[in-house]
Amino acid sequence: MKEIKKEHLDELLKEYEQDKACTIARHALSNQDIAVAAASKDAVSKMDFNFDIDIKTASVNNQKASGRCWIFAACNGIRDLIGKKIGVGTFKLSQSYIAFYDKLEKLNYTLEALIETIDKDYDDRTVQFLVQNGIGDGGQWDMLVNIVNKYGICPKNAYVETYTSNNTRILNSLLNAEIRKFASEARQVKAKKGMKGVEELKESYMRRFYRALVSCYGVPPKQFDLKYTDDKGQFQIVRGFTPQSFFEKYVGKRLDEFVSCINAPTKTKPFYKSYTVQYLGNVVGGKIVKHLNLPMERLKELILAQLKDGKIVWFGSDVSSYGDRMRGVWDDQEFDFKSLLDLDIKMDKGESLDFRSSAMNHAMCITGVAFNEKGNPTKWKIKNSWGNDRGKEGFFIMSDTWFDQFTYQAVIDRKYLTKEELAAYEKDPVVLKPWDPMGSLAD
C-alpha cells in the first residue's frame, strides 16, 4: 500500500490552481448543493407532464418518515380496484394495518433464521448479515402478498396512522437491538438448556415484540363496518367485515396472478431464469420471494402491455441518483457531475449491481408513458408516496434513459407473459446468497 506524499499534494494543488474550471466549480459550490450546481437545463423542456398513456388514479398518499413505499405502491392498485367495485373515486386503505403484521412476521422470521444458524460462529457472514440487517420497514411484492393473504386488509378509518407508524426510526432501532440481544442470549441458553430452552426464549421475545407493536401501532381490528359515500352522493354502509372477509370479497386471489420480473444484467444471473434470495422474506411458511430475470427490452414490453390495458404497474428502482425530488424528476441527462467535479459515476448496469454502486431501494407505480415518433418510450409517469407537495401533486417523471439504468423490477400480470416465461418462473429458483443486491428491499 502506498502512502500519500506531501510533495505529490503540492503538485496536485498547483495543477488545480492553474485550471480555471476548478476555480469556477469551487466558487459555485461554496453556496449551493452539488446537485443544484450540476443540474443542466438543456433537457428540462423534454420532461413535462404530457403523456400518450395517462391512467387516472386516486390521489397520492404520503409514507412520511417510514419505509413503507412498497406497501403504499401496492395499495394504490388495490384501492383503485376496490373503488371501482363500490363506485368511489378515492378509497383509502390502511397501510398501517399491513405494516403492523409485516413487522410482526419479520421479527418471527428473523428469530427463526437466527435459531437456524445458531451453531455457526458468531462472525460467520450469514449470521453477521442477519444481525446487522435485522428488520426494517422495507419489503418486496411477494412479501406484501404474504401479509394480505394471511391477515387481509381494512379501510384506513378502521386502523388509523399513529405517530410511530409514520415515524419508525426509533422503534426499528429498539427492535433490532432486541434481535441482537436474542442472537447472543440464544447461544448461551442453548449451551445450558438445549433447543427447548431456545424455543421458550423465542416465545418470550415474540410476546414482548407483540406488546410493543400494539402499543405503537394500536390494536388491530377484528371486525369493522365499511362506510362510504359513493360517486352519486349516496351514503353506504356494509356491516360485519373482518379484514380477511373484506379482502376476500373485494380482492380475492387477484394478487396471486402477478409475477415479479427483474432486470439484473449480471454475468451470474442468466435471463429467463427464476431467482430467490436466502433469508429474504417475512412470513414463515408463506410464499418465497421469487423473481423472473428478463432483458430490459422485454420488461418494457410487458410494462407497456399492462399500461395499454389501463392497469398501473408496481415497480422498483434505485432513486438515489440523478434526481430532483422537489420538481419530481429523475433524469440522468439533467445532471452533469463530470463537467462540475470531473467525477464520472456512470457504470454498466450489471457492474453497478456487482460492486454495490446501485440496487433497488424504492417502489412506486407507473401510471403513464410518452412515446417519440417511432413509438419508443421517452419518459414515464410515476405515482410516488412522498405526499402531494413534490413533483406535480405527488406525481413524478422518469426519463427513459434513467429508467433503463435504474429500474430493476416490475410486477406483471401473468397473462402478459409467454408460456416459456411462465415455465421459467415456475421452475425451482436459483438461490442467491443473502447479501445479493437483488435481495434489497424497497423502503
Side-chain angles (χ1 to χ4, degrees), residues 343-359:
L343 298 177
D344 187 2
I345 63 175
K346 293 186 178 181
M347 294 177 67
D348 170 82
K349 189 174 185 179
E351 292 175 351
S352 71
L353 284 169
D354 286 339
F355 290 93
R356 302 302 193 272
S357 178
S358 179

Side-chain angles (χ1 to χ4, degrees), residues 110-127:
T110 302
L111 296 196
E112 286 293 324
L114 289 168
I115 292 173
E116 189 173 280
T117 57
I118 199 168
D119 291 324
K120 295 181 181 290
D121 292 337
Y122 78 92
D123 60 351
D124 174 84
R125 187 172 182 183
T126 299
V127 175

Side-chain angles (χ1 to χ4, degrees), residues 33-304:
D33 183 87
I34 292 174
V36 173
S40 168
K41 301 300 182 184
D42 295 344
V44 168
S45 62
K46 299 177 183 178
M47 298 299 286
D48 56 41
F49 278 86
N50 293 305
F51 299 90
D52 296 286
I53 297 175
D54 193 351
I55 300 171
K56 303 304 179 186
T57 67
S59 59
V60 168
N61 283 322
N62 193 340
Q63 68 186 80
K64 297 190 177 178
S66 72
R68 299 175 291 165
C69 65
W70 58 293
I71 297 174
F72 276 72
C75 285
N76 283 334
I78 298 171
R79 66 191 183 122
D80 285 350
L81 176 66
I82 296 173
K84 289 178 182 178
K85 287 187 176 182
I86 64 176
V88 173
T90 299
F91 183 81
K92 295 183 178 181
L93 280 173
S94 173
Q95 294 89 0
S96 185
Y97 177 82
I98 299 171
F100 173 90
Y101 282 110
D102 171 67
K103 201 165 247 83
L104 182 66
E105 289 284 354
K106 280 177 181 168
L107 288 162
N108 180 68
Y109 189 99
T110 302
L111 296 196
E112 286 293 324
L114 289 168
I115 292 173
E116 189 173 280
T117 57
I118 199 168
D119 291 324
K120 295 181 181 290
D121 292 337
Y122 78 92
D123 60 351
D124 174 84
R125 187 172 182 183
T126 299
V127 175
Q128 286 298 307
F129 173 85
L130 291 170
V131 295
Q132 286 174 5
N133 284 271
I135 64 102
D137 299 337
Q140 277 279 354
W141 172 261
D142 289 324
M143 295 165 69
L144 181 285
V145 176
N146 276 337
I147 295 299
V148 298
N149 279 348
K150 184 172 181 178
Y151 295 102
I153 56 176
C154 65
K156 186 176 284 288
N157 59 14
Y159 196 64
V160 299
E161 296 284 339
T162 67
Y163 180 85
T164 299
S165 71
N166 283 322
N167 302 271
T168 57
R169 181 182 60 83
I170 295 178
L171 175 62
N172 288 343
S173 177
L174 292 170
L175 294 174
N176 284 320
E178 284 283 288
I179 286 172
R180 293 165 191 136
K181 182 180 177 182
F182 172 84
S184 174
E185 191 175 353
R187 291 169 181 244
Q188 300 171 37
V189 169
K190 181 176 183 291
K192 296 178 181 179
K193 301 181 180 179
M195 289 306 297
K196 182 178 180 181
V198 173
E199 290 297 336
E200 292 173 351
L201 179 69
K202 182 211 163 187
E203 289 305 313
S204 70
Y205 271 78
M206 287 303 300
R207 188 179 302 110
R208 297 207 307 274
F209 286 151
Y210 180 81
R211 292 165 63 91
L213 290 175
V214 173
S215 294
C216 290
Y217 284 79
V219 178
K222 292 184 177 180
Q223 195 173 50
F224 58 86
D225 299 331
L226 174 62
K227 302 175 183 178
Y228 63 96
T229 301
D230 63 26
D231 291 337
K232 296 179 181 179
Q234 299 296 313
F235 176 75
Q236 307 286 348
I237 182 168
V238 186
R239 300 188 183 279
F241 279 114
T242 66
Q244 292 87 346
S245 67
F246 183 74
F247 178 75
E248 289 168 6
K249 179 176 178 63
Y250 291 109
V251 183
K253 300 296 183 181
R254 185 74 184 97
L255 301 187
D256 293 318
E257 296 300 313
F258 289 85
V259 172
S260 171
C261 300
I262 59 172
N263 176 241
T266 65
K267 294 178 181 179
T268 58
K269 299 182 185 71
F271 291 133
Y272 299 103
K273 288 184 179 292
S274 63
Y275 298 87
T276 189
V277 180
Q278 188 181 24
Y279 294 123
L280 175 64
N282 55 353
V283 177
V284 174
K287 67 182 295 188
I288 63 172
V289 175
K290 191 176 181 182
H291 308 299
L292 175 65
N293 195 18
L294 297 173
M296 178 53 80
E297 302 78 39
R298 179 57 180 152
L299 187 63
K300 280 186 180 179
E301 288 177 0
L302 293 168
I303 292 171
L304 290 172

